[in-house]
Each structure stands twice: as structure tokens, then as C-alpha cells.
Amino acid sequence: MPQPKTFYVTTPIYYVNSVPHVGSATTTLVADALARFHRQCGEPVFFLTGTDENAPKVANAAAKAGIPTAQFVDTVAQGFVDTWKFLDISNDDFIRTTQERHRDVVGEVFQRLQARGDIYTGTYEGWYSMSDETFFRDSDVVNGRAKETGAIVERVTDDVYYFRLSAYSDRLLAHIQANPDFLQPETRKNETLAFIKEGLRDVVVSRRNTGWGIPVPGNPSQVVYVWFDALINYLTATGWPDQPNWENVWPADIHLMAKEIYVRFHATLWPAMLMGLDLPLPGHVLGHGWWLVGGEKGAKSKGNIPTPQDAVEYIVSRSGASTEAAIDALRFYLIRDIGFTSDAEFSYETLVTRYNAYLANDLGNLLNRTLNMLRQYSGSVVRASVERTAGGPIATLAVAVATEAQAHFEARNPGAAIDAIWKLVGGGNKEIDTAAPWKLRKEGNEQGVIDALYNALEANRIASVLIAPILPHASRQIRRQLGLDPAVVPSWETAFQWGLVPDNTRAAEAHPIFPRIETKEKIRSMTEPTVETVAAASPAAAATAESDPKITIDDVMKLKLRIAKIKTAERVSGKDKLLHLTIDVGEGTDRHLLAGIAQYYSVDELPGKNIVVIANLQPRKMAGIESNGMLLAATDADGKAILLTPEKDVHAGAEVR
Ligand code: MSP
């Protein structure tokens, strides 16, 4: 019987000139979530990550550290292995480009392309940037720096080898056209199309051998250019060309990376190399945005971005959660908040907000309330009411949520899957409020209590199945506390099945997995000094920091505050925080307003509500919609928005003063 094609997902192989940080962790975590999802679906999975070790900048870092290069790369590579283990990354292989298996395959690829005339010799005179490991033309450089990246360049003159990239323009364009979701997201695809249409030039694929790198076959005075070498790792790990089974693994289904190595390397050079080898191209090349810190790209060399261990330690120290739970919390934040179409600002404030709102409150409450009621009303023993609750609101919601989450995972977007899954978590909590088992119990409605508890138990169980790709520890803990087997990761299918918590299961006592973080104490800031350090540095600075500049009554009178009635609310596609509201401000025609409240309010609960808006704000276009006004909301201790509404019903358009 032919074996099913293995689902194959890759991360970039990271340079070993510095240690892993939350940026490199993010790509690895997104890949991990996808790999775990596909395993839960019962597919064979091959998840590859590794390290890029032959780069000149790596040799340079070793020289700076005064350590022999081979020893240096061993130590840093081990740091990546350890960090991914710490983050519960489920990679099936870890490739290092200094391994023999890789050197052999690079030699093989080089020779095959040479034999068909796609690699030829020539001379090169131009620029090289070591920090980008990229060749640049004269016209790409101003004042000794690459225009594209701002990196310092050095002059290079040498007899080298070229890869005939220019010959592949038409085939690349045809492939991109014929496979609309080969390059994602759309912005990256458009950049790539523009890059190809500008005219692809042949690429230098060797450099002078200065003692580090993979020698060119038959010419040890040159080493293979590090990008040419590095891209081949994706093929090496499959066992190409002669290990059994490689054809079951290749092509990769997904190559994941951030945007800076997308166009030039993964979306053009690599597919052209594969075409030259007559190999099928990867299914999807996916480039996400960057984590910024204070508006700048987070990078270890700038010292502005924490290691995963730092961030986890911070959560542990503030919450008292176990290290495993804190790791899950970091996984949650990095996977959920990284943008595919835009960059995102990394901050401890947002990490804490997400922790409290999604994990301590929503997920934690669902589990803790369920277990506490089960203990009080039924001595922690489950009484299954499968038939009575099947087809009820939670059973129906669970199927809808599992379907939506699956669609997001299949569309390679685990961050969006999280928000879908939280509809079940929120719905489970809401259903407990609606059913109010405590009231049913007072009324002597025993069957009602059993049904309500069983709905809540199933909501927890199904949530534990759906979150397993993102929060493997919490998923296990929830099952353990429910009295189910924590060791076996439940198949994805079980999220669609109702009634799998068996009768007579003995649940554990509630034990919060994510204890709340008290936010009265200042959250660590990524960019500013803390208030305490400002005060210590200068009392005057502290006074300014604390003072509240006053405004005059004229300033207040400028604001046109009005009561508005919400008529419709819908989500804005691609913007997970925004809701698009139509509101009546008593003007005869409705207004459109965009508000960042999608995490706190569902579209169903808003229509009909009276709210307060600033009606004379300059219109602003966001996500293609013109927003006319701004609503007012309070922020609670968790950073959640709470809408301001009039205490009594009042007509739309009423003045607020
Ligand atoms: N060695 C090359 C990749 C070769 S792949 C055949 C390389 N290495 S790297 O160490 O610089 O890693 C770059 C990757 O790390 C990015 O593409 C991204 O996956 C991740 N990130 C590094 N910094 C990041 C942010 N600030 N934000 C998001 N991702 C980050 O390039």
C-alpha cells in the first residue's frame, strides 16, 4: 500500500553567531503548532529545524570570542537544541550544516547543476555584506552600506561560480500564477512578483575559501556561498537523493520564516534551484512579520529582545505558575500575536495582559468553576448526561468552533485558530452563567444540575483537544484534572465528538494552572526605565513622570460627546482586534465606526447597546473602512475594555456633558 505523503514543515536554520531569542522562538513555535495539529489529525509528520553554521559571520563571531570555530558552533548549536527542548518544541530532526550528511548533499547539488550548465565560472567584482550574507551590486550600495538593509558592505573581487537564476524567471512566474497560495501572505507574493519582473540576475554561489565552509567540489580554493548551502538543508534532511523514503517527505508542505529572508532566498533562489534539480517545489512559502521592540526589529545583536528563558522566568516570578505553564503562556503570546501581514510590538505588558485575560481568566475560570461545582454538587464524580446535552448549545458551539479552528490550522494560521477556540472557552463560561447550576440546585432541579455540569465538563475536554497544538502542557493538565488520561494526546476528531467524559469519572480538585498576575505592581518595560529608576535618577524627572497636565474647559468644550445606539457589529477580516460597528447618532444616516474591542465583546452582544462616542473626531481609514468617531470604554485591571453606557435608556444622539 502506498504510504500517505508526510506533512513536512520547516523553520529557517538559525545562524549560530548568537543565542536563540523570542524572535527565532516564534517561527519555531508556529511550525511546532502546525506539526502538532497535523499529528493530532493522524498524519505522518516531519518537522525540521536546525542551525546554519558555515556563514562567514559565524566564523567571525567565533574569532571575536577567541574560540576555535568548530568548538564555538558546537556550543551555540547545543544552545538551540536546549532552548527548543525547553519550549517543548516537537521537531523530528535537527539539522546542522556542518554535518557530513549535509556537506555530501551540497556537493551533489552543486555538481548536478554544474553538469547541466546552470552553474558556471566567472569573475565577480562587487560588494558583500557579512551581516546579511548577501552580494550587492554597485547600484545597491551608498556610502559603504547596502540600501536595502543598511548593512556595512566590503569590496570583493574574485573568480567565482554563478548560478543561472536569470534562466528561471518565466518558469517561476508561471508557477506563482498557477499556484495562487504558493507564496503567502499576498504582500510577500506581490513583492516577489515585483522582484522577478525587475529582472533576475545570476547569483554568485561561491566565495574564496578562508578556512570555513563547504569546499566547492573539485575546487577547494572556493567554498559554497552560505545561502546556497543553507537552503539545501531542507532537502538534505529528507534523505535525498538515495536514502529510502525521501520521496514520501519531499516536497516540503510549508517553509516558514520572517519576511527579511523571503523574496531573495526562499521565494526565488530556492525554487529555481529545485527546478534545476527537476524536483517538485514546496507547497507554501510563508513569511511572517517581525517582533519590534520600541519600533525597531528585535535582534540579539542589538540586545533589545529577551531570550525565551528570560520571558518564562518573568512569568513564573510574577504569577507563581509552574515553569511548564509559563512556557505555555509564552507560546500562547508569541503564536497568537505575531503578525503575518504586519509587524508586532513585543512587550511584557501585552504578555501579562494576554496571560491574565485568556489563560488565568477565560481558560482558568472555565476549568476551576467546573471542578469546584463538581466537587460541591457531586463529590467530584461525573454523572454523564450525554443524550440530554447532545444537540444543546455547547455541543453545537463545539462543532462550529472545532470546524473553524481546523480551517485556520489548515490555512496555516494557528494564531487565528486561538481566537476561534476561545469562542468555546467564552461560550462555556457564559453557559455556566446562563444555566446557573447554583440556582437549579436551590430549586431542587437535580437533573438540571447534572446537565449543566456535563456541558461544562465537555466544554473543558473539547477545549483541551483544540488547544493541544498551542498549549501542550495546559492541555494535559486540564485532562488530568478532569480525571482523563493526560498522557495520550487526543486525536483531533475527538473535538467533534460529544460525550467522551465517561460516567463515574473521578475528577481532581481544581488547581489553577495559570494563577493570576497582580497588575498593581509595574510590569517590566522593554524600552523605558521603570518609575522607580526614574525617581532614583532624578526627583524632578519623577515629578514630571507623575504629574498630570491639566486641560482647560475650552479643551473640554471641543469634544462633541454623544449617545449612539449600536445597530450592527461585525468582525473585520484580517484584523483580529477590530470590530466594525454601524451606529445611530441621531443624524438620520448611520455612521461606521471601528473599535479595538473584538477580544472583549462578541458581535452578537453589541447590537442594541447604547454607548458614548466622540462624534467630532477626524475620520480615519483603517482596513479599508472609514471610521467616523471613537467610542469610550473603561479599562479594567486586566486591560479589558468595558463599554460606557448610559445608566437609563436615552435617545440616540443625546448630548453627553
Ligand atoms: N541562516 C539564515 C536562514 C537560512 S534558512 C535556509 C538566517 N538565520 S537567522 O538566525 O538570522 O534567523 C532569521 C529568522 O529568525 C527569521 O526569518 C525569523 O524566522 C526569525 N527571527 C529573527 N528575528 C526575528 C524577529 N525580530 N521577529 C520575528 N522573527 C524573527 O536568516
Side-chain angles (χ1 to χ4, degrees):
M1 237 195 22
Q3 285 186 7
K5 158 89 176 72
T6 296
F7 172 80
Y8 179 19
V9 58
T10 70
T11 74
I13 47 172
Y14 303 103
Y15 288 128
V16 285
N17 59 337
S18 72
V19 297
H21 54 73
V22 295
S24 34
T26 300
T27 319
T28 315
L29 283 168
V30 173
D32 185 58
L34 293 173
R36 285 174 182 271
F37 164 74
H38 283 269
R39 284 192 203 104
Q40 262 184 287
C41 292
E43 294 165 53
V45 168
F46 185 54
F47 166 21
L48 178 70
T49 187
T51 42
D52 190 350
E53 307 189 358
N54 298 319
K57 69 169 158 190
V58 168
N60 200 37
K64 270 198 186 150
I67 300 172
T69 314
Q71 188 185 327
F72 180 85
V73 300
D74 280 351
T75 310
V76 185
Q78 190 57 44
F80 276 89
V81 171
D82 295 344
T83 302
W84 298 158
K85 200 159 179 213
F86 174 76
L87 288 178
D88 209 354
I89 301 291
S90 65
N91 54 304
D92 299 289
D93 193 356
F94 187 97
I95 190 162
R96 299 182 53 189
T97 54
T98 46
Q99 287 166 339
E100 206 169 314
R101 59 170 172 163
H102 182 65
R103 299 168 81 92
D104 290 348
V105 172
V106 170
E108 181 71 27
V109 169
F110 203 96
Q111 281 168 314
R112 286 195 190 200
L113 294 176
Q114 218 171 4
R116 62 186 273 163
D118 271 349
I119 287 184
Y120 61 91
T121 49
T123 51
Y124 176 73
E125 183 171 0
W127 303 96
Y128 191 76
S129 148
M130 201 196 309
S131 66
D132 299 332
E133 300 292 7
T134 303
F135 292 94
F136 289 106
R137 290 177 298 183
D138 286 345
S139 58
D140 297 329
V141 170
V142 257
N143 295 334
R145 288 181 183 270
K147 281 188 208 161
E148 194 181 314
T149 61
I152 293 175
V153 292
E154 55 187 300
R155 195 73 184 164
V156 179
T157 316
D158 212 352
D159 292 329
V160 294
Y161 294 81
Y162 279 91
F163 172 65
R164 209 178 291 283
L165 180 62
S166 60
Y168 288 94
S169 299
D170 292 345
R171 280 181 67 188
L172 283 172
L173 286 175
H175 186 86
I176 297 167
Q177 237 94 63
N179 298 277
D181 56 2
F182 169 50
L183 301 183
Q184 291 182 309
E186 207 60 21
T187 41
R188 300 277 108 74
K189 184 205 284 197
N190 293 336
E191 283 165 17
T192 309
L193 288 171
F195 182 72
I196 299 173
K197 285 176 183 160
E198 251 176 46
L200 291 180
R201 283 167 296 114
D202 291 353
V203 177
V204 178
V205 291
S206 74
R207 322 177 71 240
R208 185 168 305 159
N209 188 351
T210 53
W212 190 248
I214 301 180
V216 166
N219 182 1
S221 71
Q222 293 274 305
V223 287
V224 177
Y225 166 48
V226 68
W227 264 104
F228 191 86
D229 146 2
L231 289 163
I232 294 170
N233 89 87
Y234 303 132
L235 197 52
T236 304
T238 67
W240 181 89
D242 48 19
Q243 303 292 310
N245 241 345
W246 72 267
E247 278 166 300
N248 231 350
V249 180
W250 189 260
D253 292 84
I254 304 173
H255 288 318
L256 261 173
M257 72 219 67
K259 60 186 180 181
E260 79 288 349
I261 57 174
Y262 190 92
V263 173
R264 206 181 263 272
F265 301 114
H266 285 85
T268 50
L269 176 59
W270 178 230
M273 288 164 65
L274 290 166
M275 284 174 174
L277 294 168
D278 296 319
L279 285 170
L281 301 198
H284 307 280
V285 182
L286 205 57
H288 59 73
W290 287 333
W291 282 116
L292 306 178
V293 180
E296 265 190 56
K297 184 185 176 204
K300 209 64 222 166
S301 57
K302 297 184 196 156
N304 65 352
I305 190 160
T307 64
Q309 287 86 347
D310 281 347
V312 165
E313 182 44 45
Y314 182 71
I315 300 170
V316 170
S317 68
R318 290 297 302 267
S319 66
S322 67
T323 301
E324 290 80 6
I327 287 168
D328 266 12
L330 181 67
R331 291 175 60 104
F332 182 91
Y333 172 46
L334 297 180
I335 295 173
R336 183 183 176 282
D337 279 43
I338 193 65
F340 271 91
T341 48
S342 52
D343 296 333
E345 181 73 22
F346 179 90
S347 76
Y348 281 108
E349 285 92 340
T350 319
L351 173 56
V352 168
T353 306
R354 298 285 180 266
Y355 177 99
N356 273 344
Y358 286 79
L359 302 176
N361 283 1
D362 295 345
L363 192 64
N365 278 346
L366 182 61
L367 181 64
N368 301 334
R369 295 169 84 190
T370 305
L371 293 178
N372 284 333
M373 289 188 299
L374 191 70
R375 182 175 49 80
Q376 277 179 42
Y377 306 153
S378 165
S380 292
V381 176
V382 174
R383 295 181 60 193
S385 66
V386 182
E387 267 86 48
R388 290 176 53 86
T389 48
I394 289 298
T396 313
L397 177 66
V399 171
V401 163
T403 308
E404 194 185 335
Q406 176 168 334
H408 287 305
F409 276 115
E410 285 170 349
R412 301 161 289 285
N413 194 346
I418 290 180
D419 282 351
I421 298 164
W422 253 252
K423 289 184 196 165
L424 174 63
V425 176
N429 274 318
K430 218 188 230 167
E431 183 58 23
I432 294 178
D433 295 336
T434 311
W438 46 94
K439 272 199 209 145
L440 298 172
R441 187 165 158 92
K442 265 197 199 139
E443 292 159 10
N445 182 348
E446 186 138 338
Q447 188 60 51
V449 174
I450 291 173
D451 293 348
L453 286 180
Y454 199 67
N455 270 322
L457 285 159
E458 278 290 285
N460 277 288
R461 177 192 64 81
I462 295 171
S464 92
V465 179
L466 300 176
I467 62 172
I470 319 273
L471 306 173
H473 172 76
S475 167
R476 283 191 296 270
Q477 283 302 309
I478 293 173
R479 283 196 304 283
R480 195 186 62 73
Q481 295 194 28
L482 293 178
L484 305 174
D485 181 0
V488 183
V489 183
S491 75
W492 187 257
E493 220 176 70
T494 57
F496 290 86
Q497 295 162 1
W498 186 256
L500 298 190
V501 178
D503 198 22
N504 272 323
T505 304
R506 174 166 284 279
E509 294 221 343
H511 179 77
I513 305 168
F514 300 106
R516 268 187 64 78
I517 295 179
E518 276 311 323
T519 46
K520 275 184 223 117
E521 200 184 310
K522 192 171 167 27
I523 308 298
R524 183 192 289 176
S525 156
M526 298 297 297
T527 49
E528 308 144 27
T530 60
V531 171
E532 296 82 61
T533 48
V534 172
S538 125
T544 323
E546 281 163 15
S547 74
D548 248 341
K550 300 285 186 276
I551 60 169
T552 67
I553 186 72
D554 293 343
D555 295 324
V556 176
M557 295 311 284
K558 283 187 199 155
L559 287 179
K560 190 171 155 191
L561 296 173
R562 294 288 180 271
I563 295 297
K565 187 179 269 316
I566 302 180
K567 296 182 80 175
T568 63
E570 53 190 67
R571 296 191 73 108
V572 180
S573 119
K575 301 276 171 206
D576 51 3
K577 294 182 188 134
L578 281 187
L579 287 186
H580 174 186
L581 308 180
T582 49
I583 53 171
D584 175 4
V585 197
E587 297 166 321
T589 44
D590 293 338
R591 288 193 187 204
H592 295 268
L593 186 146
L594 291 172
I597 53 170
Q599 292 138 285
Y600 315 115
Y601 287 90
S602 75
V603 292
D604 308 327
E605 64 187 306
L606 288 171
K609 270 199 192 332
N610 281 328
I611 56 168
V612 183
V613 298
I614 303 175
N616 59 341
L617 187 70
Q618 289 264 3
R620 186 167 160 224
K621 207 162 181 178
M622 288 182 279
I625 302 162
E626 188 172 88
S627 178
N628 235 307
M630 178 179 159
L631 58 73
L632 298 188
T635 311
D636 79 357
D638 305 324
K640 279 194 180 182
I642 295 166
L643 289 175
L644 295 191
T645 59
E647 189 248 338
K648 286 197 184 102
D649 204 18
V650 50
H651 69 273
E655 228 174 281
V656 179
R657 357 178 186 198

